[in-house]
């Protein structure tokens, strides 16, 4: 099973609709290639000459994206560098450009920020997208961390209109995506990103979000069964995310945390059970309560999870999202996704609401603390 199942499911869903900007982009004229699936050519405009280290790094990143089995002879001496895909009559081009080189984590190794810009046939095409990607390196060629700031997508929440570095800070101006918000009064905001303390942060998260004050940047306690801990940044609301994996024998639990003032916590696991118990309501409830009890005992969120335990001890477990407990929203979703397999999926979702004015993405991204004005409600 992939190491960040929950995150990758979301990531894949985003990719299916990625990406768009305010103006429809016209397709670039593609050059003829003898390669069936992908061909790489020199940029049509004269690019910057890269040194050997830069070239090898860029080649590694591109091969990771397009697959070594498809094209392994990229000539990455210049940047920006384009890769063209025929894509069964729906061609698109992806441009890679190194826009910043700096030792962000002060380990003596130069790190990179890339502008990755994909252009499809139309601006709303799934292959039209753009992002800025931080690569924190473990040596001259290989990276150990990768953090992405989404520039635009067809139905992303925000679009980056302007972007530039000021020293080690990445300054951007964002506008609500007109495809998503569909109104005439699109809001704008200025953001600043900085790499520090082992992660990429939007600076207002550090100063204005309650979750930034967590004493431990972890979900599970310090136990040997936790095989992976990853910190990242959310593509849409620019909050810190934490993803962890608990693995012991056949038990695999994927945990994810996010949010600004309001905690958003999920745990995802599967159980192989006897076929006659797949639809057994009491078995499902008992198993869910055992899972919640385990999570309360082995994570730093015992208080929050105990709220769920107390509720479900007295109430049935259904697919309904429970919002009757003040300051909380939660559910345990139990699914048998494949009738041919005797497997039950248990998805625990828990929100702790400390700020009722941060429920929508723009409110979270701009760290909103107050109720909307009357004219905004009318809009």
């Amino acid at each position: 099973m992939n190491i960040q199942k929950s995150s990758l499911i979301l990531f894949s869903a985003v990719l299916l609709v990625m990406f768009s900007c305010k103006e429809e982009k016209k397709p670039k004229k593609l050059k003829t290639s003898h390669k069936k699936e992908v061909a790489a050519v020199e940029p049509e405009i004269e690019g910057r000459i890269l040194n050997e280290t830069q070239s090898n790094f860029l080649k590694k990143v591109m091969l990771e994206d397009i697959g070594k089995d498809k094209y392994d002879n990229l000539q990455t001496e210049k940047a920006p560098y384009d890769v063209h895909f025929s894509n069964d009559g729906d061609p698109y081009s992806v441009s890679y450009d190194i826009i910043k080189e700096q030792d962000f984590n002060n380990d003596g190794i130069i790190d990179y920020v890339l502008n990755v810009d994909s252009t499809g046939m139309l601006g709303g095409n799934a292959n039209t997208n753009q992002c800025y990607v931080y690569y924190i390196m473990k040596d001259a060629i290989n990276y150990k961390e990768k953090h992405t700031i989404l520039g635009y997508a067809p139905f992303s929440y925000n679009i980056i209109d302007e972007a530039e570095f000021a020293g080690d800070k990445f300054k951007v101006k964002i506008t609500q995506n007109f495809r998503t918000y569909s109104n005439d009064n699109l809001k704008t905001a200025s953001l600043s990103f900085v790499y520090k303390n082992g992660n990429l942060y939007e600076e207002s998260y550090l100063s204005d979000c309650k979750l930034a004050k967590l004493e431990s940047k972890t979900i599970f306690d310090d136990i040997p069964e936790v095989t992976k801990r990853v910190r990242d940044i959310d593509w849409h609301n620019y909050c810190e995310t934490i993803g962890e994996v608990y693995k012991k024998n056949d038990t695999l639990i994927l945990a994810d945390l996010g949010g600004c003032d309001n905690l958003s916590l999920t745990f995802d696991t599967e159980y192989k059970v006897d076929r006659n118990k797949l639809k057994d309501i009491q078995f499902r409830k008992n198993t869910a309560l055992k899972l919640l009890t385990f999570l309360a005992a082995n994570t730093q969120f015992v208080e929050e999870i105990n709220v769920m335990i107390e509720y479900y001890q007295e109430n049935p477990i259904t697919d309904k999202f429970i919002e009757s407990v003040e300051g909380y929203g939660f559910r345990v979703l139990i699914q048998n996704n494949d009738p041919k397999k005797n497997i039950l999926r248990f998805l625990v979702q828990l929100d702790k609401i400390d700020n009722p004015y941060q429920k929508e993405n723009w409110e979270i991204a701009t760290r909103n603390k107050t109720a909307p004005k009357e004219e905004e409600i009318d809009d």
Side-chain angles (χ1 to χ4, degrees):
M1 182 177 294
N2 195 287
I3 199 161
Q4 281 188 298
K5 178 179 176 183
S6 298
S7 299
L8 287 177
I9 288 173
L10 176 61
F11 180 77
S12 300
V14 171
L15 288 180
L16 288 175
V17 296
M18 289 174 74
F19 293 113
S20 171
C21 61
K22 285 187 177 180
E23 298 182 356
E24 302 294 313
K25 290 194 172 186
K26 296 182 179 179
K28 294 181 180 180
K29 184 177 180 181
L30 304 184
K31 296 187 177 181
T32 303
S33 169
H34 297 293
K35 295 285 181 181
K36 292 183 179 180
E37 296 186 64
V38 57
V41 299
E42 291 298 325
E44 296 177 3
I45 60 174
E46 182 178 353
R48 303 187 318 280
I49 302 300
L50 303 180
N51 61 39
E52 184 177 1
T53 299
Q54 296 168 330
S55 176
N56 288 337
F57 163 71
L58 189 60
K59 180 183 292 186
K60 181 177 180 61
V61 168
M62 293 171 66
L63 289 178
E64 181 180 276
D65 287 350
I66 69 177
K68 293 183 179 180
D69 58 325
K70 295 180 179 179
Y71 202 96
D72 58 3
N73 192 31
L74 299 174
Q75 303 299 315
T76 54
E77 286 83 10
K78 294 182 181 179
Y81 191 90
D82 290 344
V83 181
H84 302 303
F85 297 82
S86 59
N87 197 36
D88 296 327
D90 185 16
Y92 64 98
S93 300
V94 184
S95 174
Y96 295 80
D97 194 11
I98 299 173
I99 62 171
K100 183 70 172 180
E101 299 173 72
Q102 183 172 322
D103 181 8
F104 290 107
N105 59 346
N106 299 313
D107 64 353
I109 302 172
I110 293 296
D111 307 302
Y112 298 94
V113 180
L114 265 58
N115 178 0
V116 182
D117 196 345
S118 177
T119 306
M121 290 290 288
L122 298 171
N125 184 286
N127 295 313
T128 297
N129 57 78
Q130 187 269 331
C131 58
Y132 302 97
V133 188
Y134 276 67
Y135 290 91
I136 306 302
M137 308 299 289
K138 65 180 178 182
D139 56 42
I141 305 300
N142 301 290
Y143 67 89
K144 60 183 178 181
E145 295 176 39
K146 178 181 178 181
H147 306 287
T148 299
I149 302 170
L150 181 60
Y152 56 79
F155 295 97
S156 62
Y157 287 101
N158 316 317
I159 294 172
I160 293 180
D161 297 311
E162 300 177 21
E164 64 178 1
F165 270 93
D168 64 345
K169 296 183 179 181
F170 188 47
K171 306 280 189 175
V172 306
K173 292 185 178 180
I174 62 171
T175 302
Q176 292 177 322
N177 191 337
F178 68 102
R179 295 179 184 276
T180 301
Y181 287 92
S182 302
N183 62 62
D184 296 328
N185 298 305
L186 298 174
K187 299 175 183 178
T188 62
S190 296
L191 306 176
S192 176
F193 297 88
V194 61
Y195 184 91
K196 63 186 303 183
N197 299 329
N199 200 7
L200 178 64
Y201 289 101
E202 197 282 309
E203 288 194 289
S204 69
Y205 171 85
L206 295 172
S207 59
D208 298 340
C209 290
K210 290 185 177 181
L211 287 180
K213 309 303 188 292
L214 282 176
E215 292 184 8
S216 173
K217 298 289 188 179
T218 63
I219 301 172
F220 284 101
D221 295 334
D222 185 15
I223 51 180
E225 292 83 4
V226 178
T227 59
K228 189 74 172 181
R229 301 184 193 267
V230 177
R231 292 157 57 207
D232 208 339
I233 186 169
D234 187 275
W235 283 21
H236 303 288
N237 60 42
Y238 319 114
C239 295
E240 183 171 39
T241 63
I242 299 173
E244 297 183 356
V245 175
Y246 173 95
K247 179 72 169 69
K248 183 177 182 181
N249 300 325
D250 294 333
T251 301
L252 180 69
I253 303 175
L254 306 177
D256 290 283
L257 179 152
C260 176
D261 288 342
N262 301 324
L263 169 71
S264 178
L265 188 61
T266 65
F267 299 93
D268 198 351
T269 189
E270 292 180 342
Y271 293 96
K272 188 173 183 179
V273 303
D274 293 337
R275 174 164 289 277
N276 61 354
K277 292 184 177 180
L278 288 174
K279 297 182 180 180
D280 187 318
I281 295 176
Q282 191 60 46
F283 172 79
R284 287 180 170 216
K285 178 172 181 175
N286 291 341
T287 304
L289 286 172
K290 287 180 181 178
L291 172 61
L292 291 173
T293 300
F294 169 81
L295 295 175
N298 290 279
T299 71
Q300 66 164 312
F301 300 100
V302 55
E303 177 182 339
E304 293 80 2
I305 296 172
N306 275 339
V307 171
M308 296 183 69
I309 294 174
E310 292 173 6
Y311 177 87
Y312 285 125
Q313 283 175 337
E314 303 297 330
N315 296 277
I317 293 180
T318 67
D319 292 349
K320 182 180 178 181
F321 198 80
I322 306 302
E323 297 180 282
S324 58
V325 179
E326 185 177 359
Y328 287 88
F330 55 81
R331 74 170 175 174
V332 179
L333 179 63
I334 305 174
Q335 299 172 307
N336 175 221
N337 293 323
D338 188 344
K340 296 180 180 180
K341 296 182 179 180
N342 302 337
I343 293 177
L344 287 179
R345 178 199 185 199
F346 286 75
L347 177 63
V348 177
Q349 298 173 300
L350 170 61
D351 295 338
K352 183 179 181 183
I353 311 301
D354 286 330
N355 182 351
Y357 308 121
Q358 272 187 20
K359 293 185 177 180
E360 193 277 325
N361 190 81
W362 185 260
E363 297 171 345
I364 301 172
T366 55
R367 321 310 181 199
N368 184 60
K369 307 289 185 182
T370 60
K373 297 179 181 179
E374 185 174 344
E375 60 267 23
E376 292 178 342
I377 296 177
D378 293 338
D379 290 342

